[in-house]
Short mmCIF file of all heavy atoms in Angstrom, two decimals:
data_model
loop_
_atom_site.label_atom_id
_atom_site.label_comp_id
_atom_site.label_asym_id
_atom_site.label_seq_id
_atom_site.Cartn_x
_atom_site.Cartn_y
_atom_site.Cartn_z
N MET L 1 310.26 -93.12 134.29
CA MET L 1 309.39 -93.93 135.22
C MET L 1 309.57 -93.63 136.64
O MET L 1 308.60 -93.69 137.50
CB MET L 1 309.60 -95.33 134.93
CG MET L 1 308.53 -96.31 135.39
SD MET L 1 306.87 -95.78 134.80
CE MET L 1 306.11 -97.18 134.94
N GLY L 2 310.81 -93.31 136.99
CA GLY L 2 311.21 -92.96 138.44
C GLY L 2 310.27 -91.84 138.95
O GLY L 2 309.92 -91.93 140.04
N ILE L 3 310.02 -90.87 138.12
CA ILE L 3 309.26 -89.70 138.56
C ILE L 3 307.83 -90.14 138.94
O ILE L 3 307.24 -89.79 140.04
CB ILE L 3 309.24 -88.57 137.66
CG1 ILE L 3 308.57 -87.39 138.20
CG2 ILE L 3 308.51 -88.94 136.35
CD1 ILE L 3 309.51 -86.66 139.10
N VAL L 4 307.31 -91.19 138.20
CA VAL L 4 305.93 -91.72 138.40
C VAL L 4 305.85 -92.50 139.73
O VAL L 4 304.94 -92.30 140.61
CB VAL L 4 305.40 -92.52 137.28
CG1 VAL L 4 304.07 -93.19 137.56
CG2 VAL L 4 305.27 -91.56 135.97
N LEU L 5 306.96 -93.25 139.97
CA LEU L 5 307.04 -94.10 141.22
C LEU L 5 307.10 -93.15 142.36
O LEU L 5 306.71 -93.41 143.48
CB LEU L 5 308.10 -94.98 141.25
CG LEU L 5 307.89 -96.11 140.16
CD1 LEU L 5 309.24 -97.03 140.07
CD2 LEU L 5 306.70 -97.02 140.46
N PHE L 6 307.99 -92.16 142.19
CA PHE L 6 308.10 -91.19 143.26
C PHE L 6 306.86 -90.45 143.71
O PHE L 6 306.49 -90.34 144.78
CB PHE L 6 309.23 -89.98 142.89
CG PHE L 6 309.42 -88.97 143.79
CD1 PHE L 6 310.21 -89.20 144.95
CD2 PHE L 6 308.66 -87.68 143.76
CE1 PHE L 6 310.47 -88.18 145.79
CE2 PHE L 6 308.90 -86.80 144.79
CZ PHE L 6 309.74 -87.03 145.80
N ALA L 7 306.06 -90.07 142.57
CA ALA L 7 304.82 -89.45 142.86
C ALA L 7 303.89 -90.26 143.52
O ALA L 7 303.09 -89.88 144.46
CB ALA L 7 304.14 -88.94 141.47
N ALA L 8 303.74 -91.61 143.18
CA ALA L 8 302.88 -92.58 143.90
C ALA L 8 303.26 -92.73 145.31
O ALA L 8 302.59 -92.70 146.23
CB ALA L 8 302.89 -93.93 143.11
N ASN L 9 304.64 -92.93 145.55
CA ASN L 9 305.23 -93.16 146.88
C ASN L 9 305.00 -92.01 147.85
O ASN L 9 304.92 -92.23 148.96
CB ASN L 9 306.68 -93.48 146.70
CG ASN L 9 307.20 -94.09 148.03
OD1 ASN L 9 306.62 -94.98 148.58
ND2 ASN L 9 308.30 -93.48 148.39
N GLU L 10 305.03 -90.79 147.27
CA GLU L 10 304.91 -89.55 148.09
C GLU L 10 303.46 -89.26 148.29
O GLU L 10 303.36 -88.01 148.85
CB GLU L 10 305.89 -88.51 147.51
CG GLU L 10 307.31 -88.85 147.48
CD GLU L 10 308.01 -88.95 148.97
OE1 GLU L 10 307.68 -88.06 149.77
OE2 GLU L 10 308.63 -90.08 149.16
N GLY L 11 302.58 -89.86 147.76
CA GLY L 11 301.22 -89.51 147.99
C GLY L 11 300.58 -88.60 146.92
O GLY L 11 299.44 -88.16 147.24
N PHE L 12 301.17 -88.26 145.90
CA PHE L 12 300.71 -87.30 144.93
C PHE L 12 299.40 -87.92 144.17
O PHE L 12 298.73 -87.16 143.57
CB PHE L 12 301.79 -86.93 143.98
CG PHE L 12 302.70 -85.81 144.68
CD1 PHE L 12 304.06 -86.19 144.88
CD2 PHE L 12 302.39 -84.61 144.89
CE1 PHE L 12 304.87 -85.36 145.50
CE2 PHE L 12 303.25 -83.63 145.46
CZ PHE L 12 304.49 -84.14 145.73
N LEU L 13 299.28 -89.09 144.23
CA LEU L 13 298.17 -89.77 143.51
C LEU L 13 296.82 -89.94 144.40
O LEU L 13 295.99 -90.47 143.92
CB LEU L 13 298.54 -91.12 142.92
CG LEU L 13 299.67 -91.04 141.96
CD1 LEU L 13 300.13 -92.38 141.47
CD2 LEU L 13 299.29 -90.23 140.70
N GLN L 14 296.95 -89.62 145.64
CA GLN L 14 295.92 -89.88 146.60
C GLN L 14 294.54 -89.20 146.06
O GLN L 14 293.51 -89.81 146.37
CB GLN L 14 296.32 -89.41 148.06
CG GLN L 14 297.35 -90.36 148.59
CD GLN L 14 297.57 -89.93 150.01
OE1 GLN L 14 297.26 -88.76 150.40
NE2 GLN L 14 298.19 -90.75 150.83
N ASP L 15 294.64 -88.17 145.46
CA ASP L 15 293.43 -87.44 145.04
C ASP L 15 293.15 -87.64 143.58
O ASP L 15 292.35 -87.08 142.95
CB ASP L 15 293.54 -85.95 145.35
CG ASP L 15 294.59 -85.22 144.69
OD1 ASP L 15 295.63 -85.93 144.09
OD2 ASP L 15 294.58 -84.05 144.67
N VAL L 16 293.80 -88.51 142.93
CA VAL L 16 293.75 -88.91 141.41
C VAL L 16 292.75 -90.11 141.43
O VAL L 16 293.03 -91.13 141.97
CB VAL L 16 294.97 -89.18 140.81
CG1 VAL L 16 294.70 -89.55 139.37
CG2 VAL L 16 295.95 -88.04 140.89
N ALA L 17 291.61 -89.97 140.68
CA ALA L 17 290.69 -91.08 140.52
C ALA L 17 291.50 -92.23 139.93
O ALA L 17 292.24 -92.15 139.04
CB ALA L 17 289.52 -90.63 139.69
N VAL L 18 291.11 -93.41 140.40
CA VAL L 18 291.78 -94.67 139.82
C VAL L 18 291.68 -94.73 138.31
O VAL L 18 292.66 -95.03 137.67
CB VAL L 18 291.02 -96.04 140.35
CG1 VAL L 18 291.62 -97.20 139.85
CG2 VAL L 18 291.30 -95.92 141.84
N ASP L 19 290.58 -94.37 137.70
CA ASP L 19 290.51 -94.41 136.16
C ASP L 19 291.21 -93.22 135.48
O ASP L 19 291.33 -93.25 134.31
CB ASP L 19 288.94 -94.38 135.75
CG ASP L 19 288.32 -93.03 136.14
OD1 ASP L 19 288.64 -92.39 137.01
OD2 ASP L 19 287.25 -92.88 135.60
N LYS L 20 291.87 -92.48 136.33
CA LYS L 20 292.74 -91.37 135.72
C LYS L 20 294.23 -91.51 136.00
O LYS L 20 295.06 -90.72 135.54
CB LYS L 20 292.24 -89.97 136.28
CG LYS L 20 290.93 -89.48 135.85
CD LYS L 20 290.92 -89.23 134.39
CE LYS L 20 289.72 -88.42 134.03
NZ LYS L 20 289.77 -88.09 132.56
N VAL L 21 294.54 -92.60 136.66
CA VAL L 21 296.00 -92.75 137.03
C VAL L 21 296.98 -92.82 135.80
O VAL L 21 298.03 -92.33 135.67
CB VAL L 21 296.16 -93.94 137.92
CG1 VAL L 21 297.71 -94.42 138.14
CG2 VAL L 21 295.60 -93.68 139.24
N LEU L 22 296.41 -93.65 134.66
CA LEU L 22 297.35 -93.77 133.53
C LEU L 22 297.38 -92.42 132.79
O LEU L 22 298.45 -92.13 132.26
CB LEU L 22 296.69 -94.82 132.64
CG LEU L 22 296.84 -96.29 133.19
CD1 LEU L 22 296.18 -97.34 132.20
CD2 LEU L 22 298.24 -96.60 133.55
N ASP L 23 296.32 -91.72 132.84
CA ASP L 23 296.22 -90.28 132.20
C ASP L 23 297.36 -89.42 132.89
O ASP L 23 297.98 -88.71 132.24
CB ASP L 23 294.93 -89.66 132.22
CG ASP L 23 293.92 -90.48 131.24
OD1 ASP L 23 294.43 -91.06 130.37
OD2 ASP L 23 292.82 -90.34 131.47
N PHE L 24 297.16 -89.44 134.36
CA PHE L 24 298.16 -88.75 135.14
C PHE L 24 299.61 -89.12 134.75
O PHE L 24 300.39 -88.18 134.72
CB PHE L 24 297.93 -89.04 136.56
CG PHE L 24 298.78 -88.26 137.52
CD1 PHE L 24 298.52 -87.00 138.04
CD2 PHE L 24 299.94 -88.83 137.90
CE1 PHE L 24 299.35 -86.40 138.87
CE2 PHE L 24 300.84 -88.29 138.81
CZ PHE L 24 300.46 -86.97 139.36
N GLU L 25 299.81 -90.38 134.71
CA GLU L 25 301.15 -90.83 134.49
C GLU L 25 301.73 -90.25 133.12
O GLU L 25 302.84 -89.67 132.96
CB GLU L 25 301.32 -92.38 134.49
CG GLU L 25 302.66 -92.91 134.04
CD GLU L 25 302.55 -94.43 133.99
OE1 GLU L 25 301.67 -95.07 134.47
OE2 GLU L 25 303.58 -95.02 133.41
N ALA L 26 300.90 -90.41 132.03
CA ALA L 26 301.34 -89.91 130.76
C ALA L 26 301.48 -88.38 130.76
O ALA L 26 302.46 -87.94 130.18
CB ALA L 26 300.25 -90.46 129.70
N ALA L 27 300.64 -87.70 131.37
CA ALA L 27 300.73 -86.32 131.34
C ALA L 27 301.81 -85.77 132.20
O ALA L 27 302.62 -84.85 131.83
CB ALA L 27 299.48 -85.67 131.89
N LEU L 28 302.25 -86.52 133.33
CA LEU L 28 303.35 -86.10 134.06
C LEU L 28 304.59 -86.38 133.38
O LEU L 28 305.58 -85.52 133.44
CB LEU L 28 303.39 -86.87 135.36
CG LEU L 28 304.54 -86.66 136.38
CD1 LEU L 28 304.65 -85.10 136.69
CD2 LEU L 28 304.48 -87.58 137.45
N LEU L 29 304.75 -87.49 132.72
CA LEU L 29 306.01 -87.76 131.86
C LEU L 29 306.24 -86.81 130.81
O LEU L 29 307.37 -86.31 130.59
CB LEU L 29 305.98 -89.15 131.55
CG LEU L 29 306.12 -90.36 132.44
CD1 LEU L 29 305.94 -91.62 131.92
CD2 LEU L 29 307.53 -90.21 133.12
N SER L 30 305.08 -86.50 130.10
CA SER L 30 305.23 -85.56 128.96
C SER L 30 305.62 -84.12 129.54
O SER L 30 306.56 -83.42 129.00
CB SER L 30 303.81 -85.31 128.30
OG SER L 30 303.88 -84.40 127.42
N TYR L 31 304.98 -83.66 130.65
CA TYR L 31 305.25 -82.35 131.26
C TYR L 31 306.84 -82.36 131.68
O TYR L 31 307.45 -81.45 131.50
CB TYR L 31 304.36 -82.19 132.55
CG TYR L 31 304.79 -81.13 133.43
CD1 TYR L 31 304.46 -79.73 133.02
CD2 TYR L 31 305.46 -81.30 134.58
CE1 TYR L 31 304.89 -78.66 133.90
CE2 TYR L 31 305.94 -80.24 135.40
CZ TYR L 31 305.59 -78.92 135.06
OH TYR L 31 305.96 -77.82 135.83
N MET L 32 307.17 -83.42 132.45
CA MET L 32 308.65 -83.44 132.87
C MET L 32 309.63 -83.42 131.78
O MET L 32 310.66 -82.62 131.90
CB MET L 32 308.78 -84.65 133.81
CG MET L 32 308.15 -84.73 135.12
SD MET L 32 308.53 -83.27 136.18
CE MET L 32 310.24 -83.67 136.56
N HIS L 33 309.38 -84.07 130.74
CA HIS L 33 310.38 -84.01 129.60
C HIS L 33 310.30 -82.73 128.79
O HIS L 33 311.29 -82.22 128.39
CB HIS L 33 310.09 -85.30 128.62
CG HIS L 33 310.47 -86.62 129.17
ND1 HIS L 33 311.81 -86.90 129.34
CD2 HIS L 33 309.74 -87.65 129.65
CE1 HIS L 33 311.85 -88.20 129.83
NE2 HIS L 33 310.68 -88.58 130.18
N ALA L 34 309.04 -82.08 128.82
CA ALA L 34 308.91 -80.90 128.15
C ALA L 34 309.52 -79.62 128.99
O ALA L 34 310.16 -78.81 128.54
CB ALA L 34 307.57 -80.52 127.86
N GLU L 35 309.31 -79.70 130.23
CA GLU L 35 309.50 -78.54 131.16
C GLU L 35 310.81 -78.73 131.95
O GLU L 35 311.45 -77.79 132.44
CB GLU L 35 308.48 -78.25 132.10
CG GLU L 35 307.10 -77.93 131.43
CD GLU L 35 307.18 -76.58 130.71
OE1 GLU L 35 307.90 -75.59 131.07
OE2 GLU L 35 306.63 -76.52 129.67
N HIS L 36 311.24 -80.04 132.16
CA HIS L 36 312.41 -80.33 132.98
C HIS L 36 313.27 -81.36 132.31
O HIS L 36 313.75 -82.32 132.93
CB HIS L 36 311.92 -80.83 134.35
CG HIS L 36 311.13 -79.81 135.12
ND1 HIS L 36 311.51 -78.87 135.81
CD2 HIS L 36 309.76 -79.76 135.32
CE1 HIS L 36 310.63 -78.13 136.27
NE2 HIS L 36 309.46 -78.61 135.99
N GLY L 37 313.48 -81.19 131.00
CA GLY L 37 314.16 -82.24 130.20
C GLY L 37 315.48 -82.42 130.62
O GLY L 37 316.07 -83.60 130.72
N ASP L 38 316.30 -81.37 130.89
CA ASP L 38 317.64 -81.44 131.44
C ASP L 38 317.74 -82.20 132.73
O ASP L 38 318.62 -83.03 132.90
CB ASP L 38 318.27 -80.07 131.56
CG ASP L 38 318.59 -79.32 130.13
OD1 ASP L 38 318.58 -80.11 129.17
OD2 ASP L 38 318.73 -78.13 130.21
N PHE L 39 316.81 -81.88 133.62
CA PHE L 39 316.75 -82.46 134.93
C PHE L 39 316.58 -83.99 134.69
O PHE L 39 317.33 -84.81 135.32
CB PHE L 39 315.76 -81.96 135.86
CG PHE L 39 315.51 -82.75 137.10
CD1 PHE L 39 316.33 -82.72 138.15
CD2 PHE L 39 314.37 -83.50 137.18
CE1 PHE L 39 316.06 -83.45 139.25
CE2 PHE L 39 314.14 -84.33 138.26
CZ PHE L 39 314.97 -84.29 139.25
N MET L 40 315.57 -84.32 133.93
CA MET L 40 315.21 -85.69 133.74
C MET L 40 316.44 -86.53 133.05
O MET L 40 316.81 -87.57 133.31
CB MET L 40 313.98 -85.90 132.66
CG MET L 40 312.73 -85.47 133.39
SD MET L 40 312.28 -86.35 134.74
CE MET L 40 311.53 -87.73 133.77
N ALA L 41 317.18 -85.88 132.07
CA ALA L 41 318.45 -86.55 131.53
C ALA L 41 319.45 -86.70 132.53
O ALA L 41 320.16 -87.75 132.49
CB ALA L 41 318.82 -85.68 130.26
N GLN L 42 319.62 -85.66 133.39
CA GLN L 42 320.60 -85.97 134.44
C GLN L 42 320.35 -87.02 135.38
O GLN L 42 321.17 -87.86 135.80
CB GLN L 42 320.67 -84.57 135.36
CG GLN L 42 321.58 -84.63 136.45
CD GLN L 42 321.42 -83.42 137.33
OE1 GLN L 42 320.91 -82.49 137.07
NE2 GLN L 42 322.08 -83.52 138.55
N VAL L 43 319.06 -87.14 135.79
CA VAL L 43 318.61 -88.26 136.59
C VAL L 43 318.83 -89.63 136.06
O VAL L 43 319.37 -90.58 136.53
CB VAL L 43 317.22 -88.11 137.22
CG1 VAL L 43 316.80 -89.31 137.88
CG2 VAL L 43 317.10 -86.85 138.04
N ASP L 44 318.36 -89.63 134.78
CA ASP L 44 318.71 -90.89 133.96
C ASP L 44 320.17 -91.21 133.92
O ASP L 44 320.45 -92.40 133.90
CB ASP L 44 318.12 -90.83 132.44
CG ASP L 44 316.57 -90.92 132.49
OD1 ASP L 44 316.13 -91.41 133.45
OD2 ASP L 44 316.06 -90.50 131.45
N ARG L 45 321.06 -90.25 133.72
CA ARG L 45 322.35 -90.34 133.49
C ARG L 45 323.04 -90.82 134.80
O ARG L 45 323.92 -91.74 134.85
CB ARG L 45 322.99 -89.15 132.94
CG ARG L 45 324.49 -89.23 132.45
CD ARG L 45 324.96 -87.89 131.76
NE ARG L 45 324.74 -86.69 132.49
CZ ARG L 45 323.77 -85.84 132.15
NH1 ARG L 45 322.89 -86.00 131.12
NH2 ARG L 45 323.60 -84.73 132.88
N GLU L 46 322.85 -90.07 135.81
CA GLU L 46 323.50 -90.28 137.14
C GLU L 46 322.82 -91.31 138.00
O GLU L 46 323.52 -91.95 138.94
CB GLU L 46 323.62 -89.04 137.86
CG GLU L 46 324.37 -87.93 137.18
CD GLU L 46 324.50 -86.64 137.76
OE1 GLU L 46 324.08 -86.42 138.86
OE2 GLU L 46 325.10 -85.68 136.99
N GLY L 47 321.51 -91.40 137.99
CA GLY L 47 320.74 -92.37 138.77
C GLY L 47 320.70 -92.02 140.31
O GLY L 47 320.23 -92.89 141.08
N ALA L 48 321.19 -90.94 140.77
CA ALA L 48 321.26 -90.56 142.05
C ALA L 48 320.01 -89.80 142.56
O ALA L 48 319.44 -88.99 141.95
CB ALA L 48 322.38 -89.72 142.22
N TYR L 49 319.48 -90.19 143.80
CA TYR L 49 318.45 -89.53 144.35
C TYR L 49 318.81 -88.74 145.52
O TYR L 49 318.73 -89.13 146.59
CB TYR L 49 317.22 -90.49 144.76
CG TYR L 49 316.49 -90.86 143.60
CD1 TYR L 49 316.89 -91.84 142.55
CD2 TYR L 49 315.23 -90.30 143.39
CE1 TYR L 49 316.18 -92.19 141.50
CE2 TYR L 49 314.45 -90.71 142.22
CZ TYR L 49 314.85 -91.55 141.34
OH TYR L 49 314.14 -91.83 140.22
N THR L 50 319.50 -87.61 145.39
CA THR L 50 320.07 -86.73 146.36
C THR L 50 318.85 -85.95 146.86
O THR L 50 317.74 -85.86 146.34
CB THR L 50 321.12 -85.78 145.70
OG1 THR L 50 320.48 -85.01 144.74
CG2 THR L 50 322.19 -86.58 145.13
N ASP L 51 319.12 -85.23 148.03
CA ASP L 51 318.17 -84.33 148.48
C ASP L 51 317.65 -83.32 147.46
O ASP L 51 316.52 -82.90 147.41
CB ASP L 51 318.65 -83.67 149.73
CG ASP L 51 318.80 -84.51 150.95
OD1 ASP L 51 318.29 -85.70 150.98
OD2 ASP L 51 319.48 -84.14 151.87
N GLU L 52 318.64 -82.71 146.64
CA GLU L 52 318.33 -81.90 145.61
C GLU L 52 317.44 -82.46 144.49
O GLU L 52 316.51 -81.75 144.07
CB GLU L 52 319.56 -81.33 144.98
CG GLU L 52 319.43 -80.30 143.98
CD GLU L 52 320.76 -79.74 143.41
OE1 GLU L 52 321.83 -79.82 144.06
OE2 GLU L 52 320.62 -79.21 142.18
N VAL L 53 317.71 -83.61 144.22
CA VAL L 53 316.91 -84.37 143.16
C VAL L 53 315.43 -84.51 143.64
O VAL L 53 314.53 -84.14 143.08
CB VAL L 53 317.53 -85.66 142.66
CG1 VAL L 53 316.46 -86.58 141.97
CG2 VAL L 53 318.69 -85.44 141.95
N VAL L 54 315.46 -85.03 145.01
CA VAL L 54 314.01 -85.19 145.63
C VAL L 54 313.29 -83.93 145.73
O VAL L 54 312.04 -83.77 145.27
CB VAL L 54 314.14 -85.80 146.90
CG1 VAL L 54 312.90 -85.74 147.73
CG2 VAL L 54 314.70 -87.27 146.82
N ALA L 55 313.97 -82.75 146.09
CA ALA L 55 313.27 -81.46 146.17
C ALA L 55 312.81 -81.03 144.81
O ALA L 55 311.75 -80.43 144.64
CB ALA L 55 314.22 -80.48 146.72
N THR L 56 313.61 -81.22 143.74
CA THR L 56 313.29 -80.77 142.33
C THR L 56 312.07 -81.64 141.97
O THR L 56 311.13 -81.07 141.34
CB THR L 56 314.41 -80.96 141.53
OG1 THR L 56 315.43 -80.13 141.87
CG2 THR L 56 314.02 -80.57 139.97
N MET L 57 312.03 -82.94 142.24
CA MET L 57 310.83 -83.69 141.75
C MET L 57 309.59 -83.35 142.49
O MET L 57 308.59 -83.11 141.94
CB MET L 57 311.14 -85.19 141.99
CG MET L 57 312.19 -85.86 141.01
SD MET L 57 312.40 -87.61 141.10
CE MET L 57 312.80 -87.91 142.77
N ARG L 58 309.83 -83.06 143.79
CA ARG L 58 308.52 -82.65 144.53
C ARG L 58 308.00 -81.37 144.06
O ARG L 58 306.75 -81.26 143.86
CB ARG L 58 309.00 -82.57 145.95
CG ARG L 58 307.86 -82.20 147.00
CD ARG L 58 308.30 -82.23 148.46
NE ARG L 58 308.84 -83.39 148.87
CZ ARG L 58 308.18 -84.57 149.13
NH1 ARG L 58 306.87 -84.69 149.04
NH2 ARG L 58 308.87 -85.71 149.57
N SER L 59 308.90 -80.30 143.89
CA SER L 59 308.46 -78.96 143.30
C SER L 59 307.74 -79.18 141.97
O SER L 59 306.77 -78.59 141.68
CB SER L 59 309.69 -78.14 143.33
OG SER L 59 309.30 -76.84 142.76
N ALA L 60 308.33 -79.90 141.10
CA ALA L 60 307.91 -80.11 139.72
C ALA L 60 306.52 -80.77 139.71
O ALA L 60 305.63 -80.30 139.07
CB ALA L 60 308.86 -80.81 138.78
N ILE L 61 306.25 -81.90 140.51
CA ILE L 61 305.14 -82.50 140.60
C ILE L 61 303.96 -81.64 141.09
O ILE L 61 302.77 -81.62 140.71
CB ILE L 61 305.23 -83.79 141.44
CG1 ILE L 61 306.01 -84.69 140.67
CG2 ILE L 61 303.72 -84.42 141.66
CD1 ILE L 61 306.47 -86.01 141.51
N GLU L 62 304.39 -80.77 142.15
CA GLU L 62 303.37 -79.89 142.74
C GLU L 62 302.92 -78.86 141.74
O GLU L 62 301.74 -78.61 141.66
CB GLU L 62 304.01 -79.12 143.99
CG GLU L 62 304.11 -80.16 145.25
CD GLU L 62 304.95 -79.51 146.31
OE1 GLU L 62 305.57 -78.35 146.25
OE2 GLU L 62 305.04 -80.05 147.36
N THR L 63 303.91 -78.32 140.97
CA THR L 63 303.61 -77.40 139.90
C THR L 63 302.70 -78.03 138.88
O THR L 63 301.72 -77.45 138.39
CB THR L 63 304.81 -76.71 139.27
OG1 THR L 63 305.53 -76.09 140.28
CG2 THR L 63 304.50 -75.90 138.17
N PHE L 64 303.01 -79.19 138.45
CA PHE L 64 302.35 -80.03 137.41
C PHE L 64 300.83 -80.07 138.05
O PHE L 64 299.88 -79.88 137.23
CB PHE L 64 302.86 -81.30 137.32
CG PHE L 64 301.89 -82.35 136.61
CD1 PHE L 64 301.83 -82.32 135.28
CD2 PHE L 64 301.33 -83.39 137.34
CE1 PHE L 64 301.03 -83.14 134.53
CE2 PHE L 64 300.56 -84.16 136.68
CZ PHE L 64 300.46 -84.13 135.20
N LYS L 65 300.67 -80.51 139.19
CA LYS L 65 299.22 -80.78 139.65
C LYS L 65 298.50 -79.52 139.74
O LYS L 65 297.25 -79.55 139.47
CB LYS L 65 299.33 -81.46 141.02
CG LYS L 65 299.72 -82.90 140.93
CD LYS L 65 299.48 -83.66 142.07
CE LYS L 65 298.02 -83.92 142.28
NZ LYS L 65 297.61 -84.78 143.48
N LYS L 66 299.07 -78.33 139.90
CA LYS L 66 298.44 -76.96 140.04
C LYS L 66 298.18 -76.56 138.59
O LYS L 66 297.18 -75.78 138.43
CB LYS L 66 299.27 -76.07 140.78
CG LYS L 66 299.40 -76.25 142.25
CD LYS L 66 300.32 -75.30 142.89
CE LYS L 66 300.59 -75.66 144.31
NZ LYS L 66 301.70 -74.71 144.86
N THR L 67 298.92 -76.88 137.59
CA THR L 67 298.78 -76.12 136.29
C THR L 67 298.46 -77.03 135.04
O THR L 67 298.04 -76.43 134.03
CB THR L 67 300.10 -75.48 136.00
OG1 THR L 67 301.23 -76.52 135.81
CG2 THR L 67 300.63 -74.41 137.04
N GLN L 68 298.39 -78.37 135.27
CA GLN L 68 298.11 -79.22 134.25
C GLN L 68 296.98 -79.98 134.38
O GLN L 68 296.35 -80.20 135.39
CB GLN L 68 299.35 -80.04 133.98
CG GLN L 68 300.75 -79.50 133.81
CD GLN L 68 300.84 -78.60 132.62
OE1 GLN L 68 300.47 -79.07 131.51
NE2 GLN L 68 301.16 -77.40 132.85
N THR L 69 296.36 -80.50 133.28
CA THR L 69 295.21 -81.34 133.35
C THR L 69 295.69 -82.78 132.84
O THR L 69 296.64 -83.03 132.21
CB THR L 69 294.11 -80.78 132.41
OG1 THR L 69 294.54 -80.90 131.12
CG2 THR L 69 293.54 -79.54 132.81
N TYR L 70 294.90 -83.73 133.32
CA TYR L 70 295.17 -85.15 133.04
C TYR L 70 293.90 -85.96 133.04
O TYR L 70 292.90 -85.55 133.44
CB TYR L 70 296.12 -85.77 133.99
CG TYR L 70 295.89 -85.43 135.57
CD1 TYR L 70 295.19 -86.32 136.19
CD2 TYR L 70 296.54 -84.31 136.11
CE1 TYR L 70 294.97 -85.96 137.59
CE2 TYR L 70 296.29 -84.03 137.50
CZ TYR L 70 295.55 -84.84 138.08
OH TYR L 70 295.27 -84.48 139.39
#
């Protein structure tokens, strides 16, 4: 859930239609677990939001928005 809050807080939802927000959330979570499962497990385990974690989340969301549908 942290990745969804990060996406919203960082403005990644600004161009997402309101009626698509829940679809975006579900697709993003699915993508993150499929493509970045180890990273997601690490964040869940450690709970730290270091500069590296933030950079990884930002990069992953940018890639998701360019390559995925929701």
Side-chain angles (χ1 to χ4, degrees):
M1 190 60 151
I3 192 76
V4 175
L5 294 174
F6 178 83
N9 190 54
E10 296 297 311
F12 287 104
L13 296 174
Q14 288 181 347
D15 63 345
V16 177
V18 173
D19 64 338
K20 291 290 188 181
V21 169
L22 294 178
D23 294 334
F24 177 91
E25 176 183 348
L28 176 60
L29 288 172
S30 177
Y31 169 81
M32 290 301 295
H33 286 288
E35 299 295 324
H36 302 280
D38 290 341
F39 168 76
M40 294 293 284
Q42 175 189 348
V43 170
D44 284 345
R45 191 173 49 253
E46 297 174 7
Y49 279 78
T50 64
D51 290 342
E52 182 180 333
V53 168
V54 169
T56 300
M57 287 193 300
R58 184 176 306 282
S59 175
I61 296 169
E62 288 170 352
T63 301
F64 166 78
K65 287 193 72 175
K66 290 177 188 173
T67 63
Q68 305 297 307
T69 58
Y70 44 90

